[in-house]
Amino acid sequence: MIAGKLRQMFHRFRGRQIEFDLTPYRKLFAQIEMRADEFGRFSDTRLRRLSAELIAQARTGVALDDLLAEAYALAREVSSRVLGMRHFDVQVLGGIAMHQGKLVEMQTGEGKTLAAVLPAYLNALTGQGVHVLTFNDYLARRDAAWMGPVYEFLGLSVGFIQQGMAPLERRRAYRCDITYATAKEAGFDFLRDQLCTDTEDLVHRPFRFAIVDEADSILIDEARIPLVIAGSTDEVVADPYHMAELVRELRVRLDYDTDENERNVYLTESGVDRAESALGCDNLHAPENTLLVTQLHQALHAHVLLRRDVDYIVREGKVEIVDEFTGRVVEDRHWPHGLQAAVEAKEGLRIQAEGFIRGSITLIHLARMYPKLCGMTATAQAAAEEFSEFYGLPVVVVPPHRPCIRVDASDMVFATKHAKRTALVEEIATVRATGRPILVGTCSVAESEELAEALGRRGVSGRVLNAKNDELEAEIVAEAGAPGAVTISTNMAGRGTDIRLGGTTEEYREAVVALGGLYVIGTNRHESRRVDDQLRGRAARQGDPGSSRFFISLQDDLFQRFGIDETVCSAYDGHDDEPVDDADVSREIEHVQRVIEGQNLEIRKTLWQYSYVVDQQRRIVRGRRLEMLLGRTETSLLAERAPQRYAQLLSDVGADVLADVERRITLFHLDRSWAEHLDHLAHIRDGVHFITGGGRNPLDEYHRIAGRAFYDLLKNIDDRIVETFVTAEIGADGIDMAKEGLKGPSSTWTYLINDHPFGNWFERFYRTAANSGELFRTLKRTLADKVQGIDN
């Protein structure tokens, strides 16, 4: 207890809100324990009656804190009876912390899914709805089915959301007391609700309480990725196939080159000459060729920097983006600004429409819309600063039910990838011969397949799990702990998977335990140490034995990209086959990871600062839209701005028809104007660095421009509404929106933007502009004109 307090004080001194001392929670736990024996003697009928009484109390205003001890003791007893699983003491402590709005760190295999039942049940008593936001669709479906019998016994309803569900099914699921869904699906449903013109089409209820599973992944790694709803557009785009053919003919080092980290590619003078000849233009960087330059650079980035079977796969005629953190295909994720089309053209596929963005929201802003938020993960401490700063969530570290006895061996470091691959194959073959199961975590689809081929040549068979065969995930993971199993996976097996020793039936569990349990091998370090720790966490769950080790090389992409000291690499030339046994090298590798994590934190902070003002504007527009949709607007804009026209129509068509006309006109112009505003701000954000100077801060300048633009937006919305009302034909049947040119897009769809894969395109042009002062001056002039137009 004293040690916990000291650690807590140390982290607070460093600006981190991390709790190790669980004394405050143990007092509540003692109250829960006092009821355990009594509830254990109750019949099922009496337990159900007790839950009904708690529901009645919560819905008549009794504070949930006053019901906590009884509710948790009840849910614990019911879980034991219905599922055969009684919450461990540490799970109850974690459940108490979550109800209090904390981020709970519980080690892998410690039963976070069961722990979440306690705060979910307590907060669902009010009938206002609880969302459990999961890592993927499979977990949403599994956890709802798994924990559902507990909630149903207690008199509550449970539902889940899956991709592809019809609106009616979604509405029913969100009307349940507890709803399991991915954060992505909840966000897309929120965006769809923002375009509804009838209240019957709304699927969400007002947000109240959310429990976020795998919180570091959802709230940090994916938090900056915008969720988008787009509509069809008649915009004509130049032929991306022609650009793809052009860049295939360009020669590396002669016509184009990359920066030292291979995060940017740019044309040389020779490349510009060849492009101008192929495109038939005298000056590629003339103002009238700006769009042409954009598409050329997108094609070049797609050709050089985006790698098939690493950054994306091609399946069933479509480009599917592979998430760098999970190794999974991310459904409906697109690259922005024409880059998606450039990749599709590169692969000779049909170009998918990007459309006109009608609304967007990041997961960070979606999460902050819940009045009450909590979460759980096995890797929270490293991200404690972000949880506190962005979400106001302190981290509570809950000890494991059984001590973790995993052995984490020191890294095996090699100078070259070839030496690493040779050592990997030898290690896997040697350990496999003993019968011990092995899980190998790779960084890409290509690497997983190449390693499997190398092992096959050595006579070692194994199963490969990656984005290409994700439909086999459950089957492969189920047998990954069987004797002699070799499973080669991308990060798909690095989070949220439970590998049972001995295989599905655990028939050979004792034999595997005697061999040392699961052996986890990582073939690369990741940008985030949390991802490495999640992979290690597949072994030695709930007190089982296990071990882990990483095999890395100084030629791995991570160190090439972010510049581990070249002198370190050169110092070991000629020692390709032997491990690099040097403490300085190990320290340098750890330093690289810390630097990258710091850089990514700064990127997220910057993106938050830019997006914050847009989110505040979104809330204002959304509030006005919702008031109009629900008929809660007290005053009529039309009666105020066009009183004569309003009075005449009121007499001719009646108040109900006129109210419906105002609602439909207002919703249309709110939606269209907001979409235009988002597009305008996106261009300003991408180019604001070109128009700042003389000590002006780009962020301050962006906020100034965005504020003025929003002021104009609100005025223009009102002007458009009044203009339509005055000029439109309105009769007893209301208004014909299509006839008046007020028809929305013929179709809408949702997707995620894989935001800024190499930095935004203006930043890339900035680097390229080193070779073209004329391009830089043209872009700067264009953006300065835009800003001048706003100021005027």
Side-chain angles (χ1 to χ4, degrees):
M1 187 181 301
I2 295 176
K5 289 183 177 179
L6 290 174
R7 293 174 70 189
Q8 201 162 297
M9 291 174 60
F10 171 75
H11 283 284
R12 283 184 178 174
F13 178 75
R14 298 185 66 183
R16 300 173 181 168
Q17 291 193 51
I18 304 179
E19 298 180 28
F20 295 94
D21 180 15
L22 303 182
T23 302
Y25 310 105
R26 294 190 187 279
K27 293 178 181 178
L28 281 169
F29 176 76
Q31 297 176 29
I32 296 167
E33 280 282 85
M34 289 173 59
R35 293 165 170 80
D37 291 341
E38 180 185 8
F39 287 2
R41 294 191 297 269
F42 285 178
S43 66
D44 287 359
T45 300
R46 189 167 180 184
L47 291 178
R48 288 190 175 96
R49 189 185 312 127
L50 179 57
S51 184
E53 293 171 0
L54 289 174
I55 291 171
Q57 291 181 67
R59 297 181 186 183
T60 54
V62 177
L64 292 182
D65 288 349
D66 295 337
L67 303 177
L68 185 148
E70 197 165 6
Y72 275 36
L74 177 58
R76 193 184 195 190
E77 176 62 29
V78 171
S79 297
S80 178
R81 295 189 188 189
V82 174
L83 303 178
M85 296 187 295
R86 186 175 188 273
H87 293 80
F88 300 137
D89 294 357
V90 290
Q91 290 173 314
V92 178
L93 292 170
I96 294 170
M98 281 189 272
H99 168 68
Q100 295 181 358
K102 308 290 179 65
L103 195 289
V104 172
E105 179 177 278
M106 297 176 66
Q107 294 305 306
T108 53
E110 287 295 307
K112 291 186 287 294
T113 303
L114 185 62
V117 167
L118 301 175
Y121 169 61
L122 175 61
N123 285 271
L125 293 174
T126 64
Q128 295 175 312
V130 170
H131 291 175
V132 183
L133 302 180
T134 64
F135 188 56
N136 56 45
D137 271 0
Y138 164 72
L139 292 176
R141 183 175 65 252
R142 184 203 71 177
D143 293 352
W146 188 11
M147 300 295 124
V150 176
Y151 301 125
E152 290 164 0
F153 184 106
L154 294 166
L156 298 177
S157 56
V158 61
F160 63 89
I161 300 293
Q162 299 282 278
Q163 186 177 26
M165 268 188 172
L168 180 59
E169 294 177 289
R170 291 174 181 270
R171 195 175 306 114
R172 288 172 179 166
Y174 285 123
R175 292 302 184 271
C176 290
D177 296 305
I178 299 104
T179 307
Y180 286 82
T182 64
K184 178 189 72 173
E185 286 299 315
F188 283 147
D189 285 329
F190 169 80
L191 291 175
R192 294 186 189 99
D193 279 356
Q194 302 317 297
L195 298 179
C196 288
T197 56
D198 292 301
T199 55
E200 293 79 8
D201 295 332
L202 296 172
V203 299
H204 271 302
R205 292 190 284 170
F207 291 168
R208 179 180 173 273
F209 177 53
I211 302 171
V212 185
D213 193 9
E214 302 294 353
D216 59 322
S217 177
I218 294 173
L219 297 182
I220 293 179
D221 295 336
E222 297 185 8
R224 69 186 239 194
I225 299 172
L227 281 64
V228 166
I229 185 166
S232 54
T233 176
D234 297 327
E235 180 182 358
V236 178
V237 180
D239 183 8
Y241 299 108
H242 180 53
M243 289 296 182
E245 291 175 6
L246 191 161
V247 299
R248 284 193 195 100
E249 302 299 321
L250 299 179
R251 301 158 297 177
V252 64
R253 308 301 176 209
L254 294 177
D255 299 323
Y256 68 87
D257 208 346
T258 61
D259 63 13
E260 59 180 356
N261 296 324
E262 296 189 352
R263 297 291 283 179
N264 183 54
V265 60
Y266 52 87
L267 292 173
T268 63
E269 290 186 11
S270 171
V272 171
D273 291 341
R274 293 194 65 173
E276 289 174 345
S277 175
L279 296 172
C281 60
D282 294 331
N283 182 359
L284 185 62
H285 295 134
E288 63 270 18
N289 292 328
T290 301
L291 180 59
L292 204 61
V293 173
T294 301
Q295 293 169 334
L296 175 60
H297 278 272
Q298 297 291 32
L300 192 60
H301 275 78
H303 178 69
V304 178
L305 299 183
L306 290 176
R307 299 163 293 174
R308 182 169 178 168
D309 291 340
V310 176
D311 302 295
Y312 66 92
I313 64 172
V314 175
R315 183 164 57 181
E316 298 180 356
K318 293 182 179 179
V319 168
E320 298 185 333
I321 295 175
V322 177
D323 186 88
E324 62 182 308
F325 294 106
T326 67
R328 301 173 187 272
V329 163
V330 185
E331 299 289 344
D332 294 328
R333 182 177 292 186
H334 288 195
W335 282 297
H337 307 309
L339 185 57
Q340 180 80 15
V343 176
E344 290 164 343
K346 166 189 172 182
E347 298 292 345
L349 305 174
R350 185 171 66 88
I351 304 298
Q352 305 291 317
E354 185 170 324
F356 187 69
I357 294 178
R358 303 191 67 196
S360 69
I361 191 170
T362 61
L363 290 181
I364 185 172
H365 293 301
L366 179 74
R368 288 170 59 92
M369 291 181 65
Y370 288 90
K372 185 175 180 181
L373 183 71
C374 69
M376 51 190 181
T377 182
T379 44
Q381 292 187 58
E385 180 182 348
E386 289 185 72
F387 284 128
S388 176
E389 182 173 351
F390 294 148
Y391 303 99
L393 289 173
V395 170
V396 177
V397 179
V398 176
H401 175 61
R402 297 188 183 95
C404 178
I405 58 173
R406 185 182 65 241
V407 177
D408 295 324
S410 57
D411 294 350
M412 294 288 287
V413 184
F414 297 87
T416 67
K417 286 185 177 181
H418 174 75
K420 180 183 75 170
R421 174 64 56 80
T422 301
L424 265 171
V425 171
E426 181 63 29
E427 177 79 354
I428 294 168
T430 301
V431 175
R432 196 282 181 92
T434 69
R436 188 180 182 190
I438 305 168
L439 172 67
V440 185
T442 64
C443 71
S444 68
V445 172
E447 186 186 17
S448 66
E449 294 177 343
E450 291 166 3
L451 180 57
E453 290 178 5
L455 288 169
R457 291 191 294 270
R458 178 65 186 271
V460 176
S461 61
R463 301 200 69 178
V464 177
L465 174 61
N466 59 36
K468 288 185 176 180
N469 65 343
D470 49 7
E471 72 281 359
L472 300 176
E473 178 178 359
E475 175 188 339
I476 294 175
V477 169
E479 292 301 326
V486 175
T487 307
I488 305 161
S489 176
T490 57
N491 283 348
M492 290 178 66
R495 186 187 287 271
T497 56
D498 191 1
I499 298 174
R500 298 185 176 184
L501 299 187
T504 308
T505 64
E506 300 188 65
E507 178 182 358
Y508 302 102
R509 174 180 167 78
E510 294 307 317
V512 172
V513 168
L515 291 169
L518 183 69
Y519 180 26
V520 172
I521 298 176
T523 66
N524 293 265
R525 285 286 193 169
H526 297 88
E527 289 190 15
S528 170
R529 288 168 293 175
R530 289 182 289 104
V531 179
D532 293 342
D533 291 342
Q534 285 285 349
L535 178 60
R536 293 186 194 276
R538 298 313 101 196
R541 298 161 73 88
Q542 295 192 11
D544 286 338
S547 61
S548 72
R549 168 165 261 169
F550 278 79
F551 284 66
I552 58 181
S553 88
L554 301 179
Q555 292 181 340
D556 288 344
D557 290 349
L558 179 70
F559 307 122
Q560 292 286 307
R561 211 168 357 121
F562 290 95
I564 192 169
D565 195 334
E566 292 182 2
T567 60
V568 174
C569 299
S570 60
Y572 290 93
D573 288 345
H575 298 271
D576 290 357
D577 298 331
E578 298 297 325
V580 176
D581 186 13
D582 190 326
D584 288 339
V585 174
S586 297
R587 280 193 294 270
E588 184 69 18
I589 290 170
E590 292 177 0
H591 173 70
V592 167
Q593 279 190 304
R594 287 195 298 272
V595 168
I596 295 167
E597 288 174 345
Q599 290 174 347
N600 288 336
L601 172 59
E602 289 305 314
I603 289 172
R604 288 191 288 268
K605 283 183 177 179
T606 300
L607 289 172
W608 160 252
Q609 291 170 327
Y610 275 93
S611 63
Y612 178 79
V613 65
V614 181
D615 184 62
Q616 297 305 303
Q617 294 173 356
R618 178 191 297 109
R619 289 172 183 261
I620 294 171
V621 172
R622 174 176 173 266
R624 179 176 176 183
R625 192 186 196 284
L626 191 60
E627 292 293 306
M628 179 59 68
L629 179 64
L630 298 177
R632 297 174 180 168
T633 305
E634 296 181 359
T635 60
S636 168
L637 172 69
L638 304 182
E640 294 176 359
R641 295 276 300 272
Q644 293 181 341
R645 168 77 163 160
Y646 187 86
Q648 181 63 50
L649 286 173
L650 184 62
S651 173
D652 293 344
V653 304
D656 291 343
V657 171
L658 199 54
D660 181 66
V661 168
E662 182 167 5
R663 178 181 62 83
R664 296 175 68 187
I665 292 174
T666 300
L667 293 179
F668 174 82
H669 284 301
L670 277 170
D671 294 343
R672 188 175 73 172
S673 298
W674 176 249
E676 293 171 353
H677 183 67
L678 287 178
D679 183 64
H680 175 65
L681 290 187
H683 284 90
I684 294 298
R685 188 189 77 167
D686 282 344
V688 72
H689 293 272
F690 286 99
I691 57 175
T692 54
R696 287 186 294 171
N697 182 290
L699 178 62
D700 293 340
E701 192 69 11
Y702 174 77
H703 283 173
R704 184 187 70 82
I705 296 170
R708 179 61 184 269
F710 187 64
Y711 173 83
D712 292 340
L713 167 75
L714 297 179
K715 180 178 181 300
N716 291 337
I717 288 174
D718 288 349
D719 291 345
R720 288 177 175 182
I721 292 170
V722 173
E723 181 182 358
T724 298
F725 178 67
V726 170
T727 60
E729 180 179 334
I730 300 172
D733 295 328
I735 182 173
D736 186 334
M737 299 289 283
K739 181 179 177 182
E740 298 297 333
L742 306 177
K743 188 177 179 181
S746 57
S747 62
T748 61
W749 59 95
T750 57
Y751 60 89
L752 296 95
I753 292 180
N754 206 56
D755 201 21
H756 306 308
F758 314 107
N760 65 58
W761 61 278
F762 269 104
E763 290 171 346
R764 297 198 296 275
F765 281 169
Y766 181 83
R767 300 186 189 106
T768 307
N771 296 325
S772 175
E774 184 175 353
L775 172 62
F776 175 80
R777 288 189 295 274
T778 299
L779 289 170
K780 184 172 181 179
R781 257 197 325 271
T782 303
L783 284 160
D785 290 343
K786 283 189 176 184
V787 175
Q788 185 66 31
I790 292 173
D791 288 342
N792 292 336

